[in-house]
Amino acid sequence: MTHSAAAHEFQRDPARAAWHDQTLWMVRAKRDRMAARVPEWEQLREAASQIKEHTLSKLADYLEQFADTAAANGIHVHWAADGDEHNRTVHSILKKHGARKLVKSKSMLTEECHLNPHLEKHGIEVIDTDLGERIVQFQKMPPSHIVMPAIHLKRAEVGEVFHEHLGTPSGLDDPQQLTEAARQHLRSHFLTADAALTGVNFAVAETGGFVVCTNEGNADMGAHLAPVHIASMGIEKIIPRQAHLGVFLRLLARSATGQPSTVFSSHFLKPRPGQEMHIVIVDNGRSRQLARSDYRKSLACIRCAACFNTCPVYRRSGGYSYSYFISGPIGSILAPNVDKAAHASMPFASTLCGSCTAVCPVKIDIHTQLLKWRQDITAAGHAPWWKKAAMHTTAFVVRRPALFRLGGWFMRRTTPLLNLLRLDPWTQSRDLPPAPAQTFRQWHNQQSNKK
């Protein structure tokens, strides 16, 4: 299903669509207020952008430095070319230790690699311990948002999910009581897990350590209790020095949720005595994106989702209208790198207003890359026939002034009829504005005659 078709399904519930829009805009507004309190906000964004640009230019060197230093710290380092190799590597570690239960904190990389179904196929129980992730796991659905996985659900719906799976009273929608039920449910899994898996927000080449940022402490609970800690990391998570962390940690939570910082910023340098620690470093198409000069900067993304919260299309269409596990503007420039044909509609799910670029903490030129992907997808023959026909027709008309003027004359007289007939998606939900009595050409000629 294309994005536009899936978005149409989401819009069938106008009240939910409006609530989703307003909720995410509230998060965007919190981000703005928090950024305004930091006088050097733009300098931080520029510093983060330059650090990432430098790192990407020497990515292989920093990855080797990180791997060598991490190994010297006692961490087992694994390399995975793609998602399948990542899954096999994680499974082999768990199999070696006879693990039957894995507690997992939020990791979009494992969503990308489809780790959960792979492990479940081999008889390993996977418990997502992030509250939002656990809710959508109960529903057997992927996250709809990379920071707030269950943002599409209302409290009453969460209450019904918990009633079905945790046995809470039917109709319970008190956030504190629902959270307490989840806490008690997850605590038993933390205490009985054979292994824990976390993502990686930042990996420091200088020290061989990595940082995991959470608000719930679930990554710490898992990693500190389990005898085996596995961290899954994309190759783009590298930063050169420990001193650079401060720049990104000041930007991340403010951009993501409007907080000064995440509640927990956990630093892992080496395994504790008696524990085994592994890190799996994954490519899965990132090197291909790095080689594309127009799109390489997308690898600077720190997964804050600020572009989601500001995007008028995402807010009004929901995360499940996108065909890739990362939705929103950043997903729309990452997905075509994976499969241009399968995700051909995603770069068109944008107004190109530039709001995503304006809020990006690492200054990725998202709206420019969206436009470039549209051109590449069309050139590759993956755009819908009607879109190509419309563009060819437009080009034909605008190159012929007389035809252009005739078209303008016709549209000015048929606008009321178009609003009445509601033949296209635009006029089905809004009215075309009334045409001005005077065209720009008429106005320009009038002004010229006055002179």
Side-chain angles (χ1 to χ4, degrees), residues 151-319:
I151 191 63
H152 59 288
L153 297 175
K154 297 184 178 182
R155 286 181 301 178
E157 293 169 315
V158 174
E160 288 309 306
V161 172
F162 279 18
H163 172 65
E164 179 183 351
H165 295 276
L166 301 183
T168 56
S170 179
L172 179 65
D173 66 353
D174 179 74
Q176 186 171 347
Q177 294 183 53
L178 291 172
T179 303
E180 182 61 27
R183 182 182 292 117
Q184 296 303 322
H185 160 69
L186 291 171
R187 188 65 53 91
S188 64
H189 289 297
F190 284 127
L191 293 171
T192 57
D194 302 308
L197 186 145
T198 68
V200 173
N201 288 94
F202 306 102
V204 184
E206 178 184 45
T207 66
F210 57 93
V211 178
V212 181
C213 301
T214 68
N215 278 329
E216 300 169 21
N218 53 308
D220 300 80
M221 286 285 288
H224 293 161
L225 290 172
V228 180
H229 176 190
I230 305 169
S232 294
M233 165 192 148
I235 61 173
E236 79 282 10
K237 297 296 184 178
I238 287 285
I239 59 173
R241 299 174 54 210
Q242 184 81 6
H244 295 148
L245 265 176
V247 174
F248 293 98
L249 292 178
R250 294 183 72 193
L251 288 166
L252 177 60
R254 288 177 169 89
S255 298
T257 54
Q259 299 169 250
S261 67
T262 50
V263 178
F264 298 90
S265 297
S266 306
H267 298 243
F268 297 92
L269 187 64
K270 59 184 178 180
R272 69 174 188 272
Q275 185 190 48
E276 193 168 292
M277 184 178 287
H278 297 258
I279 188 159
V280 186
I281 305 173
V282 184
D283 186 325
N284 203 36
R286 288 161 175 78
S287 294
R288 184 169 61 247
Q289 189 86 326
L290 182 66
R292 292 171 160 155
S293 58
D294 289 326
Y295 307 115
R296 71 194 303 268
K297 197 169 182 180
S298 63
L299 294 174
C301 176
I302 60 174
R303 302 295 192 267
C304 70
C307 60
F308 288 57
N309 305 333
T310 197
C311 177
V313 175
Y314 176 86
R315 297 199 320 264
R316 292 167 175 83
S317 62

Side-chain angles (χ1 to χ4, degrees), residues 26-45:
M26 178 188 68
V27 180
R28 158 67 203 268
K30 287 174 62 181
R31 174 262 176 207
D32 291 348
R33 289 194 297 271
M34 194 57 65
R37 296 177 187 175
V38 182
E40 66 275 22
W41 181 256
E42 290 304 318
Q43 289 92 329
L44 283 171
R45 291 181 69 219

Side-chain angles (χ1 to χ4, degrees), residues 74-95:
I75 302 175
H76 299 271
V77 180
H78 310 264
W79 300 87
D82 54 30
D84 288 340
E85 188 173 2
H86 165 269
N87 294 346
R88 291 196 303 271
T89 301
V90 172
H91 178 241
S92 68
I93 297 168
L94 298 175
K95 185 177 180 181

